[in-house]
Amino acid sequence: MAGRRVECTWKRHVAEQLKQRDRVQRQAFEEIIHQYNRLLEKSDLQAVLSERLQTEKYELQDRHDVSPGAESLQQEMAQIRIRHQEELTELHKKRGELAQSVIELNNQIQQKDKEIQSNEAKMLEYQQQIAQLEGECRDLRSSLADLERANQTLRDEYDALQITFSALEEKLRKTTEDNQELVTRWMAEKAQEANRLNAENEKDCRRRQAKLQKELADAAKEPLPIEPKRVSQTPPAGLLDSISNIFGYVDSLLSSLSLSLSLAPLPSLSLCVYSTVCQDAHDGEVNAVRFSPGSRLLATGGMDRRVKLWEVVAGHCEPKGALTGSNAGITSIEFDSAGSYLLAASNDFASRIWTMDDYRLRHTLTGHSGKVLSARFLLDNARIVSGSYDRTLKLWDLRSKVCMKTVFAGSSCNDIVCTEQCVMSGHFDKKVRFWDIRSESIVCELELLGRVTSLDLNHDRTELLTCSRDDLVKIIDLRNNAVRQTFSAQGFKCGSDFTRVTFSPDGSYVAAGSADGVLYVWNVLTGKLDKTLDKGHSSAINSVSWSPSGTYVVSVEKGSRAVLWSDM
């Protein structure tokens, strides 16, 4: 149906074009044809006049023979004949010009015909293209309608999911509130149960003490036979036995009381001592750990976005509080030299500083475009250096709370340590870079055999400890920037790109955690493995910290545990 309509359309268009050409060309050549016809008429008329003049010529010649006055008439006729001949010549000339014009016009007509044929072919091609495009347009309209229907379906599904999400979110909120209420009630019931148990123990103790006092009073009231001549003799065995039995009863009472108190529920600890089974320190993976300068306070940071503080007392850890404010997991922890501030880097592209006296968030340093993997105080405690996954290092001024300098390192920065005028950074491209803070330039580069995961300085800041993914722990002498010592052990394997190792406070030992949950300790003087501690962890160790007093070592793992080791 559509093809027949297209065929009628182009036929009608060709007929209209032919009519238009006829009108245009007829108007252009109508005057010429009219003049040509007049010339033909004049030419015929001239031929008739010529014949007539010839006839008259012969008649005049005959008359001349008859009449002598015919000479003047002959001259007149000759002039007329000459004039007519000139007119005839002019007419022939015009006729030739008109014939040439006709030929040229015929050529133009043929050329126009060819152009018309070419245009008709193009028109046919264009009409075919139009038909094809109309078909494609219909297909696109159909596809658009399908997409609109699919889009509407997706919108309806999105609205339904949004409603479901809102309902689930509300349910989660209510569940969280109910859980919090249940925890509060459970804690209250536990406290009441502990108070009740303590009250019962106290009541039992008072009852037994009253019974003891009564028995003592009864024993004191009993009359004892005393012989006059033997006053200085020892008391009879019955009294001694009674007194010893009484005190034995008291001892048993005290032992049972102490036993009952020891069986009373104690608050759960999140850290353990040496080989004791550990409980979770965080709700998820624990990434960082650090002792305070005084060794009594311990800080751990995990993927639950919190920094938890613990007080180390007689080989045990008691929770002191939690530092909140981070929007993502904690990656590193650092105390200032006085222990007044705590600096933590996190995966939300920021570093944060809390005060330790009130556990309040004081500064949030933002500016990196990737995860901040390490942040350190400089020795003046007024500036901070941070290294990020965005391959930059930033120097921050705590007085103005702004970024003073940004240095492009060329590779992701996994860890940082600082001296007075030098910053050392370990990178994903297996290099340790030494930066001059004043000139913002690289002083030296040292390439290791694996990706650098950790850096640490000894107490004198003359040796740099490194750990890399080639499962080697190395000591670099900062006086000549060369590797001085390499530690390895059978079974030791670096568990991640962020595994942290540490020096002992006197620099005599090196501690590193392995992917199999074993803590390895090497002797720096001998270069040999000193001991392995394999009781406490069930997954890869992420970080290790040695207390400044040298008494404790703490290690944290991917499985949310933290282990406090003593008697090292």
Side-chain angles (χ1 to χ4, degrees):
M1 188 69 181
R4 186 178 300 172
R5 184 168 62 254
V6 171
E7 183 178 0
C8 295
T9 302
W10 74 262
K11 286 182 179 180
R12 185 168 58 254
H13 179 73
V14 171
E16 291 177 355
Q17 290 293 324
L18 291 174
K19 290 179 182 179
Q20 179 68 20
R21 186 187 69 176
D22 183 62
R23 285 193 299 271
V24 172
Q25 292 182 356
R26 186 177 65 185
Q27 291 177 0
F29 300 110
E30 187 174 6
E31 183 66 23
I32 295 173
I33 294 172
H34 181 68
Q35 293 292 336
Y36 181 73
N37 291 332
R38 288 180 61 186
L39 287 175
L40 290 176
E41 291 175 357
K42 286 183 179 182
S43 177
D44 295 338
L45 180 61
Q46 186 67 29
V48 173
L49 290 175
S50 177
E51 291 177 358
R52 186 182 296 177
L53 287 174
Q54 289 290 337
T55 304
E56 289 178 355
K57 175 182 176 182
Y58 294 135
E59 290 177 356
L60 286 175
Q61 286 179 356
D62 294 339
R63 289 177 184 176
H64 179 66
D65 294 338
V66 177
S67 175
E71 184 176 357
S72 61
L73 181 61
Q74 187 176 1
Q75 293 177 354
E76 183 179 357
M77 289 300 294
Q79 291 178 357
I80 292 172
R81 188 172 58 252
I82 292 169
R83 188 169 59 252
H84 287 175
Q85 189 68 30
E86 291 177 353
E87 290 179 358
L88 182 61
T89 303
E90 184 70 24
L91 289 174
H92 281 295
K93 183 178 179 180
K94 289 184 178 180
R95 182 179 179 181
E97 292 177 353
L98 290 174
Q100 183 67 28
S101 298
V102 169
I103 292 172
E104 292 177 355
L105 290 173
N106 286 329
N107 293 332
Q108 292 180 2
I109 288 172
Q110 292 176 359
Q111 185 177 1
K112 294 295 184 181
D113 289 337
K114 292 180 180 179
E115 291 179 359
I116 289 173
Q117 292 176 0
S118 176
N119 290 333
E120 288 176 352
K122 289 182 179 179
M123 286 175 56
L124 182 60
E125 183 180 357
Y126 290 155
Q127 287 174 354
Q128 292 176 354
Q129 292 181 0
I130 289 172
Q132 183 178 0
L133 291 174
E134 287 178 349
E136 293 178 357
C137 185
R138 287 192 297 271
D139 294 339
L140 290 175
R141 287 196 186 97
S142 177
S143 300
L144 179 62
D146 294 340
L147 290 175
E148 287 179 349
R149 288 192 294 270
N151 187 24
Q152 185 62 37
T153 303
L154 291 175
R155 285 181 180 175
D156 296 339
E157 292 179 356
Y158 173 78
D159 293 338
L161 290 174
Q162 190 70 24
I163 294 172
T164 305
F165 175 75
S166 300
L168 291 175
E169 193 174 25
E170 181 65 22
K171 186 177 180 181
L172 176 63
R173 187 185 62 80
K174 291 181 179 179
T175 304
T176 305
E177 292 177 354
D178 294 342
N179 184 34
Q180 187 66 30
E181 183 180 358
L182 289 174
V183 170
T184 304
R185 289 169 55 190
W186 180 74
M187 293 298 292
E189 290 178 358
K190 282 290 184 180
Q192 291 177 2
E193 184 179 355
N195 293 332
R196 191 182 312 111
L197 181 59
N198 293 332
E200 291 177 357
N201 291 334
E202 187 177 358
K203 186 186 298 183
D204 190 19
C205 181
R206 286 198 300 267
R207 185 172 61 253
R208 293 183 179 182
Q209 287 180 354
K211 184 178 180 180
L212 176 61
Q213 289 177 0
K214 182 178 180 182
E215 290 179 355
L216 289 173
D218 294 340
K221 291 179 181 178
E222 291 181 359
L224 298 176
I226 301 176
E227 296 179 2
K229 296 181 180 180
R230 301 180 64 181
V231 177
S232 61
Q233 291 182 354
T234 58
L239 180 60
L240 292 176
D241 293 338
S242 177
I243 294 174
S244 63
N245 290 335
I246 292 172
F247 282 98
Y249 180 77
V250 174
D251 293 337
S252 64
L253 176 63
L254 294 176
S255 63
S256 63
L257 180 61
S258 62
L259 179 62
S260 63
L261 291 176
S262 65
L263 294 176
L266 297 175
S268 61
L269 300 179
S270 298
L271 299 178
C272 62
V273 179
Y274 198 55
S275 59
T276 306
V277 178
C278 301
Q279 298 181 2
D280 294 340
H282 285 266
D283 297 332
E285 183 176 349
V286 188
N287 296 328
V289 62
R290 184 73 62 176
F291 275 100
S292 66
S295 300
R296 290 185 58 85
L297 198 61
L298 176 67
T300 58
M303 294 303 292
D304 57 359
R305 303 178 295 176
R306 291 185 295 175
V307 176
K308 288 189 176 181
L309 301 175
W310 315 84
E311 185 177 3
V312 182
V313 180
H316 295 273
C317 291
E318 298 178 358
K320 295 293 292 182
L323 307 179
T324 59
S326 176
N327 299 316
I330 305 298
T331 57
S332 75
I333 295 174
E334 173 81 353
F335 284 95
D336 68 334
S337 59
S340 302
Y341 296 93
L342 184 141
L343 169 64
S346 64
N347 288 329
D348 60 354
F349 309 168
S351 302
R352 291 174 175 82
I353 299 176
W354 290 267
T355 50
M356 299 308 299
D357 55 351
D358 55 2
Y359 301 164
R360 292 183 60 184
L361 178 63
R362 295 298 180 180
H363 306 295
T364 300
L365 308 176
T366 59
H368 283 289
S369 60
K371 300 176 181 178
V372 183
L373 302 177
S374 181
R376 303 290 183 189
F377 284 102
L378 291 182
L379 297 183
D380 57 4
N381 292 332
R383 293 176 296 172
I384 287 173
V385 178
S386 59
S388 171
Y389 187 76
D390 63 4
R391 300 179 292 176
T392 63
L393 279 75
K394 290 183 179 290
L395 179 64
W396 307 85
D397 185 7
L398 294 183
R399 299 183 185 92
S400 58
K401 304 177 186 178
V402 297
C403 177
M404 300 169 58
K405 297 177 183 178
T406 299
V407 179
F408 182 74
S411 178
S412 173
C413 179
N414 291 337
D415 201 5
I416 293 175
V417 291
C418 306
T419 60
E420 186 174 356
Q421 293 298 336
C422 183
V423 173
M424 286 147 279
S425 55
H427 295 270
F428 188 82
D429 61 357
K430 307 179 183 180
K431 292 183 179 180
V432 178
R433 292 178 171 87
F434 299 82
W435 305 85
D436 189 346
I437 298 177
R438 296 164 296 186
S439 61
E440 306 179 19
S441 60
I442 299 177
V443 178
C444 177
E445 283 187 357
L446 185 63
E447 186 169 0
L448 303 181
L449 300 178
R451 298 191 293 271
V452 182
T453 68
S454 174
L455 299 177
D456 192 29
L457 290 172
N458 66 348
H459 180 71
D460 299 332
R461 300 184 183 275
T462 58
E463 294 178 344
L464 177 67
L465 180 66
T466 67
C467 180
S468 53
R469 290 308 300 269
D470 58 353
D471 304 330
L472 295 177
V473 178
K474 298 181 179 181
I475 293 179
I476 299 174
D477 192 342
L478 297 180
R479 290 166 290 191
N480 54 12
N481 292 334
V483 177
R484 187 178 68 84
Q485 205 167 4
T486 300
F487 303 99
S488 62
Q490 184 177 2
F492 174 74
K493 185 174 180 61
C494 184
S496 69
D497 288 342
F498 318 107
T499 300
R500 311 298 191 195
V501 298
T502 183
F503 266 119
S504 65
D506 58 357
S508 300
Y509 294 92
V510 169
S514 176
D516 56 1
V518 178
L519 182 64
Y520 290 79
V521 181
W522 288 274
N523 190 317
V524 175
L525 298 179
T526 62
K528 297 181 179 180
L529 183 65
D530 189 77
K531 62 180 66 177
T532 57
L533 306 175
D534 57 355
K535 298 179 180 178
H537 287 291
S538 59
S539 59
I541 297 177
N542 282 336
S543 182
V544 182
S545 180
W546 211 308
S547 65
S549 63
T551 308
Y552 303 106
V553 171
V554 65
S555 56
V556 296
E557 64 171 23
K558 288 186 177 181
S560 76
R561 283 184 178 180
V563 180
L564 182 68
W565 309 89
S566 60
D567 193 17
M568 298 297 293

